[in-house]
């Protein structure tokens, strides 16, 4: 069976598995990778960029190598084995269902008027400091996190799976996890995490643009999504979160961005869709989750088409 069909069937099965099962509570491969990456950091950490480069190369390269070994092991096996491996890898690296569950749990607490519970659950979804946030600010943080993680937890992985198969899926999730672990600008990781943060920017670039396009196509206000993306994305400090959050803001007709707090650090960011959007409401959390789901499936279709194009390049044959 051709590689494009293996990816199409396997990735679809993996997304269905994620929709039904979500992330496992124990033994998640990404959690195992995180423990291994933390052990590498303990051995390598010095307050130097060069050590961080070695850390990123070892961890991301190791994940890609394991994916390549797994793909090679089933290369001569029946197509069902290759599809099953792609499905398992896709299920392991995407996290759309768990993202939606966490967002809805916080939305449910806010709808019930229990802001304290919402504050307790918010760190499960993003790195904001929840203690100083009121209900509306928590709702805004959830919508922003749903938007950004649609790209990070699903679409970006599908793009690299389309380009490079199972090794691409594994490498993207490794890079994204490293950025979450060491890519932030804390005193410990300002230099050491530089390589992981830059690598994540590069790896996430195509998925972020596809996510923004899909949000415009699948959202209730297509023109608003494109307008906000064009006008406001560049004002965001992240080259990848900017297009995604701006497109979601325009599609949903809300305002995102503004003042944020991370671990005692206060950031004053530009407001996205500020001229046309309204403040985020609790009900917008459910709207964002549903848009995220539509975006993921639309992106899968685009990635299947991309894999078909990759497989048809000159010199590409059956795999």
């Amino acid at each position: 069976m051709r590689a494009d069909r293996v990816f199409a069937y396997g990735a679809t099965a993996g997304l269905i598995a994620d929709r039904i099962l979500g992330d496992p509570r124990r033994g998640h491969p990404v959690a195992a990778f995180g423990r291994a990456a933390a052990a590498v950091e303990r051995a390598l950490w010095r307050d130097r960029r060069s050590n961080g480069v070695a850390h990123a190369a070892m961890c991301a390269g190791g994940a890609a190598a394991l994916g390549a070994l797994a793909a090679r092991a089933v290369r001569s096996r029946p197509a069902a084995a290759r599809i099953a491996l792609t499905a398992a890898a896709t299920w392991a690296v995407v996290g759309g269902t768990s993202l939606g569950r966490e967002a809805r749990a916080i939305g449910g607490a806010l709808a019930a008027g229990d802001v304290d519970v919402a504050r307790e659950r918010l760190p499960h979804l993003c790195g904001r400091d929840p203690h100083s946030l009121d209900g509306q600010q928590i709702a805004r943080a959830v919508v922003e996190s749903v938007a950004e993680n649609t790209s990070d937890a699903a679409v970006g992985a599908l793009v690299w799976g389309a380009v490079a198969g199972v090794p691409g899926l594994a490498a993207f999730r490794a890079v994204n996890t490293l950025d979450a672990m060491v890519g932030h600008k804390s005193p410990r990781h300002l230099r050491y995490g530089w390589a992981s943060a830059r690598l994540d920017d590069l790896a996430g670039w195509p998925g972020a643009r596809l996510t923004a396009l899909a949000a415009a196509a699948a959202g209730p206000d297509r023109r608003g999504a494109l307008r906000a993306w064009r006008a406001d994305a560049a004002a965001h400090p992240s080259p990848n979160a900017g297009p995604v959050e701006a497109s979601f803001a325009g599609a949903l007709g809300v305002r995102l961005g503004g003042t944020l707090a991370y671990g005692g650090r206060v950031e004053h960011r530009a407001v996205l869709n500020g001229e046309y959007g309204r403040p985020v409401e609790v009900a917008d959390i459910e709207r964002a989750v549903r848009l995220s789901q539509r975006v993921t499936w639309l992106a899968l279709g685009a990635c299947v088409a991309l894999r078909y194009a990759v497989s048809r390049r000159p010199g590409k044959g059956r795999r």
Side-chain angles (χ1 to χ4, degrees):
M1 181 180 289
R2 295 194 308 262
D4 55 333
R5 293 184 180 179
V6 169
F7 174 76
Y9 299 153
T12 301
L15 282 187
I16 292 172
D18 175 67
R19 185 66 182 269
I20 296 172
L21 302 173
D23 291 334
R25 295 186 180 277
R26 295 182 179 179
H28 197 295
V30 176
F33 171 82
R35 291 191 293 271
V40 173
E41 181 185 355
R42 287 193 294 272
L44 287 182
W45 188 88
R46 300 290 186 279
D47 192 17
R48 297 194 297 260
R49 283 186 176 183
S50 58
N51 289 64
V53 170
H55 179 219
M58 287 179 61
C59 294
L66 286 175
L69 287 173
R72 184 173 183 178
V74 300
R75 183 176 297 172
S76 60
R77 303 293 295 275
R82 287 177 281 149
I83 292 171
L85 175 63
T86 302
T90 302
W91 169 75
V93 303
V94 302
T97 295
S98 294
L99 171 66
R101 286 175 180 170
E102 286 295 336
R104 282 168 168 155
I106 296 171
L110 291 175
D114 200 336
V115 178
D116 289 337
V117 170
R119 289 192 183 109
E120 290 176 5
R121 296 197 68 99
L122 186 63
H124 299 169
L125 194 63
C126 62
R128 306 280 176 85
D129 182 358
H131 301 294
S132 61
L133 301 182
D134 60 23
Q136 192 279 326
Q137 291 170 322
I138 292 173
R140 191 193 79 195
V142 171
V143 171
E144 290 170 351
S145 184
V146 168
E148 183 175 359
N149 282 293
T150 301
S151 177
D152 290 343
V155 177
L158 292 173
V159 169
W160 285 102
V163 172
V166 171
L169 289 165
F172 178 82
R173 176 51 60 219
V175 168
N176 191 249
T177 303
L178 288 175
D179 180 59
M181 294 177 68
V182 304
H184 44 84
K185 295 181 179 179
S186 66
R188 176 179 173 86
H189 294 127
L190 183 61
R191 282 180 283 272
Y192 186 85
W194 174 86
S196 293
R198 298 292 78 75
L199 187 59
D200 183 67
D201 287 343
L202 290 172
W205 196 95
R209 274 72 194 166
L210 178 56
T211 302
L213 280 173
D221 187 350
R222 297 178 183 178
R223 185 173 299 177
L226 294 173
R227 180 184 59 234
W229 179 6
R230 182 174 60 252
D232 300 330
H236 197 288
S238 168
N240 295 330
V244 172
E245 291 186 18
S247 186
F248 264 69
L252 297 172
V254 300
R255 294 197 299 266
L256 299 179
T259 301
L260 312 173
Y262 289 92
R265 239 182 345 106
V266 177
E267 294 185 14
H268 300 284
R269 295 183 179 177
V271 175
L272 307 178
N273 199 40
E275 184 178 353
Y276 299 93
R278 55 171 173 76
V280 175
E281 300 172 354
V282 174
D284 292 317
I285 293 176
E286 178 63 26
R287 296 175 66 224
V289 170
R290 292 183 179 179
L291 178 57
S292 173
Q293 293 170 345
R294 294 195 299 271
V295 164
T296 300
W297 287 103
L298 188 59
L300 173 63
C303 290
V304 167
L306 173 62
R307 186 60 181 171
Y308 179 86
V310 169
S311 298
R312 288 297 182 274
R313 287 188 304 169
K316 291 287 184 179
R318 294 170 65 90
R319 290 185 179 180

